[in-house]
Amino acid sequence: MIAKRMQPVLVSARALRGGELHNWLRTISTQPFASEPKSPVIATEIPGPVSQELYRQMNSIQQASSVQLFADYEKSIGNYLADVDGNLMLDIYMQISSMPLGYNHPAMLQVLTDPRNQKIIANRPALGVFPNRDWPEKLKNVLLKKGIAPPGFSHITTMMCGSCSNENSFKNIFIWYAEKQRHGKSFTKEEMDSCMINQVPGSPKYSIMSFEGAFHGRTLGSLSTTHSKYIHKIDVPAFDWPIAPFPRYKYPLESNESENKQEDDFCLAKVEYLFDKYKREKHFPVAGVIVEPIQAEGGDNHGSPYFFQKLQQITKKYGGALLIDEVQTGGGPTGKMWCHEHFNLESPPHIVTFSKKMQLGGYYHLEEMKPNQPYRVFNTWMGDPSKLILLEAIIDVILKENLLDRVTRVGNYVLQELKKLENEFSNTINSSRGRGTFIAFNCATSKLRDETIKKLLRKGIQAGGCGNTAIRLRPSLTFTEHHANIFLENLQTILKE
Amino acid sequence: MIAKRMQPVLVSARALRGGELHNWLRTISTQPFASEPKSPVIATEIPGPVSQELYRQMNSIQQASSVQLFADYEKSIGNYLADVDGNLMLDIYMQISSMPLGYNHPAMLQVLTDPRNQKIIANRPALGVFPNRDWPEKLKNVLLKKGIAPPGFSHITTMMCGSCSNENSFKNIFIWYAEKQRHGKSFTKEEMDSCMINQVPGSPKYSIMSFEGAFHGRTLGSLSTTHSKYIHKIDVPAFDWPIAPFPRYKYPLESNESENKQEDDFCLAKVEYLFDKYKREKHFPVAGVIVEPIQAEGGDNHGSPYFFQKLQQITKKYGGALLIDEVQTGGGPTGKMWCHEHFNLESPPHIVTFSKKMQLGGYYHLEEMKPNQPYRVFNTWMGDPSKLILLEAIIDVILKENLLDRVTRVGNYVLQELKKLENEFSNTINSSRGRGTFIAFNCATSKLRDETIKKLLRKGIQAGGCGNTAIRLRPSLTFTEHHANIFLENLQTILKE
């Protein structure tokens, strides 16, 4: 299906360490695409000897065994990640899906040369108390910009990362839920006193419902809603909050419609059962539900628009808030700024959280979620203006270059080609699925998945796994058919082996 | 005591909005001290009309009632905070104690002009997987540098803010504690399965002991150890973890030694009682104790070296970890890089957390705390290299200019002068206390405290409150006797009124 013209260029590590690659990169244009190499450059095993030496240094001062290689970000360019051993990999994982435009994008570098922006970076304010003069305008023109904010949202609270965006959203939901029970009454003395010692009624036993296979972060509140891998959770105390099953579809979707609809209904029935049970039996009313539009870390498990529409209806029926966690899906990779825009919900969810590609964390929320008092959702920094400078540049590029349309087009192409490979190698890979370039497929076994990722790396392609058997694509928004072909062709070669 | 030569300069707001102030600031030297004004400049009530208009805009998109004014960080300089109405305030609060060198410090601005640093800012890595080539060296040369790392620490885990530094430290403590119970055995299937649904034994009912009046952050785990103000906690579920009393001393210390020693012993006895009770009665063994060296948000409550020495001994006796939260005290304001260096502990604590003045979050930990497996203390970003660039510049200035010695000298001066004011106005203020310039004093009532802060602001001094009746000083490390005199003189004037 794909011509064999994109094999990695094998060059000697010695030559590259002599600075050849670096010189070559310097001579080419600074345009993001023109300056990329034509294909990966492999100089050593990965991790190579320099990475291995640096690993030893780093592991002597912290637990570093998760490190895969040491990168050279000065030399990385566009969709290509350079490492310290002279390798230049096509990166379809992009820092766990957090780099929207690839490496060293000129638009991002450009804004950092502006002395006014340098002053913003050097003078980090406590945004909740002393924001800069341009902060309300920046929020409006960047995060709340039409076409950028999810439809229906005019309110925003900024944070720093995905975990703290979810944690603070939980707090916001609890505050909103408690105010509804209070019917406009003031806090009681008993509430004010008891919360200081972590006891009811001031510290109520409210809960947040989450789903099996979910990933929402790793701090103690968000970790209580994460259920993707035991190693994230073992030995850490957790809140006893309800956990519902998330749909697990059979693929291809078009030939399993009725079975998948049954799966949706089964999961939805369980959600409704848990709302009822936690209120009546456990006396922990469910204040809200947190859900990913696509369970990413858990294996790229998709839910149908029908599932999300009904989930919203059930959540409303029981007086809860719906929190859609778009930390990994937000910012464009599904072909829309926000994945839940694919679901045609009858109204916006209560909260949408973000981080990663958005550079800073935070959440959009309905006006009704705005707490009546200050200092309830608050911390020293409340986000980071230095990240909004970068996000502003990123959004300009997304809009000017119509990157979301490109993501849709390239994603459709990749999915179509993956399905062809699936048919060709049906004992080895299956269940190709995705929206935009947010794509995954399963391997027959975990072992085969891990081996395939290693073989891709040997061919100069940095991919990532998720769940037990899935390989996920998380390329930048500047990923093209050209890059896709390099990936597809090498995957085909590996599958043939 | 102090000459009346530092009254705020009253100029018309109209003149300033015409750009006069800005022009004046541009004509003067870029040296941090030479370029500061001689005294505050007051043009309007604070918040002024421009701030009030911006507040209306911001409050229409988020809960903004905590905002005090809108700043102009381009015009702010050194120890002076400029606002949008042409006011220029002596800032002794410094963004809730998070700006170490004041505004627009040339050393910080300088590093941001370097294109290599701009590339580091534009290419934010997933540090736990693909760190940059210089990351181990940067960690060693900045955070682990001799004289910068707390004595006895060679291990570091970077994070982003104070809350997540404490949350991840809790996890690290739980993992360490569980491994000790496991005596080298592997995880059981029951542990691996039960943790996925938040149940024992995989999600154990371990606890972290904290203190009345403590502040350790606002995410759900750290909030369970925060007990300073009800508005931070009400309506949010919490872990039922033990809470011990923290010493509340009588001042001046030198005339209340025996009573304060009794207070220490009372608190320590309660700590020991809770270790025992939670293990036996509640079956929630205490895995660790978190404590601030000075309870900051809770009212600048100090503990003696004796208290901390004994606390460490008791924690060791019960097999727990001691976590010293230096988020507000760390980075130099007490005259040492770390406040706990004042306590002569018999060995380093298990963990020291930081954020604020350090620009990024994180924690120092003993080697024994290093988890055996990767991905247990982990997240997408694991800190932020762009903040370490700034911290490196800050540390250079601290060391080259001997700022810690200056902090000690200026702090002693302020404390001595405050004690004189206390004697002069003994019905109004009392209990001056501090280390370095990390200083506070109490007002006779909450109302008087709030009024005094407002009056200081009218005279062009931005101060902050903490606890019920305290005014706290949190100036930058570049705060001098000159700045101190402006504050002291105006305080004296207010007290006389």
Side-chain angles (χ1 to χ4, degrees), chain A residues 396-441:
Chain A
D396 275 355
V397 174
I398 290 176
L399 297 176
K400 275 183 196 151
E401 301 187 8
N402 278 319
L403 289 186
L404 300 187
D405 288 350
R406 183 199 287 179
V407 164
T408 302
R409 191 191 72 216
V410 175
N412 287 341
Y413 171 69
V414 173
L415 209 48
Q416 162 206 307
E417 296 299 316
L418 276 175
K419 283 180 182 167
K420 288 185 199 162
L421 286 178
E422 241 184 57
N423 290 332
E424 201 180 343
F425 304 98
S426 56
N427 291 333
T428 320
I429 63 165
N430 61 75
S431 306
S432 299
R433 57 201 180 273
R435 292 183 185 279
T437 55
F438 200 103
I439 287 173
F441 57 95

Side-chain angles (χ1 to χ4, degrees), chain B residues 17-242:
Chain B
R17 281 201 218 113
E20 254 183 54
L21 173 65
H22 188 66
N23 289 338
W24 171 68
L25 284 172
R26 286 204 310 188
T27 57
I28 55 185
S29 149
T30 55
Q31 289 306 306
F33 304 111
S35 60
E36 279 187 354
K38 286 277 178 288
S39 55
V41 179
I42 293 300
T44 70
E45 288 289 298
I46 301 172
V50 184
S51 270
Q52 287 178 34
E53 171 51 30
L54 288 169
Y55 167 76
R56 278 187 289 275
Q57 290 178 32
M58 186 144 145
N59 199 49
S60 73
I61 56 174
Q62 61 181 225
Q63 167 50 264
S65 359
S66 53
V67 169
Q68 294 184 16
L69 56 82
F70 283 80
D72 188 327
Y73 292 107
E74 276 201 65
K75 294 181 187 165
S76 299
I77 189 84
N79 289 278
Y80 285 84
L81 173 68
D83 78 0
V84 288
D85 289 284
N87 301 295
L88 196 56
M89 289 149 278
L90 176 66
D91 191 350
I92 60 171
Y93 189 44
M94 278 290 156
Q95 309 297 325
I96 320 180
S97 199
S98 67
M99 291 284 293
L101 302 181
Y103 301 105
N104 287 306
H105 195 283
M108 293 173 75
L109 292 174
Q110 181 59 39
V111 294
L112 295 170
T113 64
D114 181 339
R116 281 172 308 175
N117 288 334
Q118 291 164 9
K119 285 199 167 186
I120 288 175
I121 299 173
N123 295 292
R124 185 176 188 183
L127 284 169
V129 196
F130 310 105
N132 195 20
R133 61 185 312 148
D134 66 353
W135 191 242
E137 194 192 329
K138 283 261 187 201
L139 290 175
K140 282 182 192 168
N141 291 347
V142 182
L143 285 165
L144 291 173
K145 193 185 178 89
K146 199 171 147 63
I148 297 303
F153 287 98
S154 59
H155 281 66
I156 181 88
T157 299
T158 49
M159 288 284 155
M160 290 173 63
C161 70
S163 285
C164 72
S165 300
N166 284 331
E167 291 262 347
N168 281 283
S169 295
F170 293 175
K171 283 172 58 177
N172 207 136
I173 287 170
F174 293 134
I175 290 165
W176 165 83
Y177 192 85
E179 284 299 317
K180 288 200 299 178
Q181 317 309 309
R182 215 170 256 130
H183 296 293
K185 279 183 242 144
S186 307
F187 304 130
T188 65
K189 184 167 185 315
E190 195 190 359
E191 286 172 334
M192 291 189 282
D193 291 346
S194 58
C195 77
M196 294 295 271
I197 51 169
N198 299 0
Q199 302 298 318
V200 290
S203 305
K205 294 201 176 294
Y206 296 159
S207 64
I208 298 287
M209 194 187 304
S210 56
F211 288 91
E212 292 167 7
F215 184 94
H216 299 293
R218 293 163 171 273
T219 45
L220 269 61
S222 62
L223 189 63
S224 295
T225 62
T226 284
H227 317 283
S228 47
K229 290 202 180 73
Y230 78 84
I231 198 69
H232 302 161
K233 290 177 68 76
I234 199 162
D235 298 335
V236 182
F239 289 105
D240 180 16
W241 291 346

Side-chain angles (χ1 to χ4, degrees), chain A residues 59 73 130 218 370 378, chain B residues 59 73 130 218 370 378:
Chain A
N59 199 50
Y73 292 107
F130 309 103
R218 293 164 170 272
K370 184 176 161 179
F378 184 88
Chain B
N59 199 49
Y73 292 107
F130 310 105
R218 293 163 171 273
K370 183 176 163 181
F378 185 87

Side-chain angles (χ1 to χ4, degrees), chain B residues 179-456:
Chain B
E179 284 299 317
K180 288 200 299 178
Q181 317 309 309
R182 215 170 256 130
H183 296 293
K185 279 183 242 144
S186 307
F187 304 130
T188 65
K189 184 167 185 315
E190 195 190 359
E191 286 172 334
M192 291 189 282
D193 291 346
S194 58
C195 77
M196 294 295 271
I197 51 169
N198 299 0
Q199 302 298 318
V200 290
S203 305
K205 294 201 176 294
Y206 296 159
S207 64
I208 298 287
M209 194 187 304
S210 56
F211 288 91
E212 292 167 7
F215 184 94
H216 299 293
R218 293 163 171 273
T219 45
L220 269 61
S222 62
L223 189 63
S224 295
T225 62
T226 284
H227 317 283
S228 47
K229 290 202 180 73
Y230 78 84
I231 198 69
H232 302 161
K233 290 177 68 76
I234 199 162
D235 298 335
V236 182
F239 289 105
D240 180 16
W241 291 346
I243 308 161
F246 191 83
R248 297 295 175 108
Y249 298 142
K250 292 209 168 142
Y251 288 85
L253 292 178
E254 49 279 18
S255 33
N256 293 281
E257 272 182 27
S258 113
E259 212 165 335
N260 290 339
K261 166 78 162 49
Q262 273 181 23
E263 175 71 1
D264 280 342
D265 287 330
F266 166 79
C267 295
L268 291 163
K270 194 69 190 287
V271 168
E272 189 148 7
Y273 164 79
L274 286 170
F275 260 115
D276 188 59
K277 175 188 162 93
Y278 266 69
K279 189 159 197 171
R280 294 199 304 161
E281 277 179 40
K282 293 216 160 191
H283 310 289
F284 294 8
V286 177
V289 175
I290 184 169
V291 66
E292 293 154 280
I294 301 168
Q295 285 191 337
E297 303 302 303
D300 272 33
N301 308 313
H302 287 246
S304 66
Y306 168 81
F307 172 76
F308 284 100
Q309 288 159 13
K310 290 284 169 191
L311 177 63
Q312 183 177 42
Q313 285 164 13
I314 295 167
T315 304
K316 276 187 196 170
K317 175 178 163 189
Y318 285 87
L322 181 62
L323 189 178
I324 298 195
D325 174 349
E326 296 247 24
V327 168
Q328 190 155 158
T329 48
T334 70
K336 294 183 185 283
M337 270 305 284
W338 306 98
C339 185
H340 77 269
E341 294 179 66
H342 291 281
F343 300 155
N344 296 314
L345 298 179
E346 62 185 18
S347 60
H350 291 80
I351 288 184
V352 175
T353 55
F354 59 82
S355 184
K356 289 195 184 257
K357 286 194 172 60
M358 301 296 282
Q359 309 294 299
L360 79 171
Y363 58 98
Y364 296 96
H365 56 91
L366 298 183
E367 186 168 8
E368 67 178 278
M369 306 301 290
K370 183 176 163 181
N372 290 325
Q373 302 88 355
Y375 296 112
R376 301 191 75 177
V377 174
F378 185 87
N379 56 49
T380 297
W381 283 319
M382 295 291 290
D384 187 345
S386 76
K387 304 302 182 193
L388 210 62
I389 295 167
L390 294 169
L391 180 59
E392 190 170 19
I394 291 163
I395 283 173
D396 274 356
V397 173
I398 290 176
L399 296 177
K400 276 184 195 148
E401 301 187 9
N402 277 319
L403 290 186
L404 300 187
D405 287 350
R406 184 201 288 179
V407 164
T408 302
R409 190 192 72 216
V410 176
N412 287 342
Y413 171 70
V414 173
L415 207 50
Q416 161 206 308
E417 295 299 317
L418 276 175
K419 283 180 183 168
K420 288 185 199 161
L421 286 177
E422 240 183 60
N423 290 333
E424 200 180 343
F425 305 99
S426 56
N427 291 333
T428 320
I429 62 166
N430 61 75
S431 306
S432 299
R433 58 202 179 271
R435 292 184 185 277
T437 55
F438 200 103
I439 288 173
F441 56 96
N442 292 351
C443 298
T445 64
S446 287
K447 189 163 168 280
L448 190 70
R449 187 267 309 267
D450 295 346
E451 282 172 9
T452 307
I453 289 177
K454 275 187 197 154
K455 286 180 181 169
L456 282 166

Side-chain angles (χ1 to χ4, degrees), chain A residues 309-320:
Chain A
Q309 289 159 13
K310 290 285 170 191
L311 177 64
Q312 184 178 40
Q313 285 164 14
I314 295 167
T315 304
K316 277 187 195 170
K317 177 176 161 188
Y318 285 87

Side-chain angles (χ1 to χ4, degrees), chain A residues 270-437:
Chain A
K270 194 69 190 286
V271 168
E272 189 148 6
Y273 164 79
L274 286 170
F275 260 115
D276 188 60
K277 174 188 162 93
Y278 266 71
K279 189 161 197 169
R280 295 199 303 160
E281 276 179 40
K282 292 217 161 188
H283 310 288
F284 293 8
V286 177
V289 175
I290 184 168
V291 67
E292 293 153 281
I294 302 169
Q295 285 191 339
E297 302 303 305
D300 270 32
N301 308 313
H302 286 248
S304 66
Y306 168 80
F307 173 76
F308 284 100
Q309 289 159 13
K310 290 285 170 191
L311 177 64
Q312 184 178 40
Q313 285 164 14
I314 295 167
T315 304
K316 277 187 195 170
K317 177 176 161 188
Y318 285 87
L322 181 62
L323 188 179
I324 300 195
D325 173 349
E326 296 245 26
V327 168
Q328 190 154 160
T329 49
T334 69
K336 295 183 183 286
M337 271 304 285
W338 306 99
C339 185
H340 76 269
E341 293 179 66
H342 291 282
F343 301 154
N344 296 312
L345 298 178
E346 63 186 16
S347 60
H350 292 79
I351 288 184
V352 175
T353 54
F354 58 82
S355 183
K356 289 193 182 256
K357 284 193 173 59
M358 302 296 282
Q359 309 296 298
L360 79 171
Y363 58 99
Y364 296 97
H365 56 91
L366 298 182
E367 186 168 7
E368 67 178 278
M369 306 302 291
K370 184 176 161 179
N372 291 326
Q373 302 88 352
Y375 295 112
R376 301 190 74 176
V377 174
F378 184 88
N379 55 50
T380 298
W381 284 317
M382 294 292 289
D384 187 346
S386 77
K387 303 302 180 192
L388 210 63
I389 295 167
L390 294 170
L391 180 61
E392 190 169 19
I394 291 163
I395 283 172
D396 275 355
V397 174
I398 290 176
L399 297 176
K400 275 183 196 151
E401 301 187 8
N402 278 319
L403 289 186
L404 300 187
D405 288 350
R406 183 199 287 179
V407 164
T408 302
R409 191 191 72 216
V410 175
N412 287 341
Y413 171 69
V414 173
L415 209 48
Q416 162 206 307
E417 296 299 316
L418 276 175
K419 283 180 182 167
K420 288 185 199 162
L421 286 178
E422 241 184 57
N423 290 332
E424 201 180 343
F425 304 98
S426 56
N427 291 333
T428 320
I429 63 165
N430 61 75
S431 306
S432 299
R433 57 201 180 273
R435 292 183 185 279
T437 55

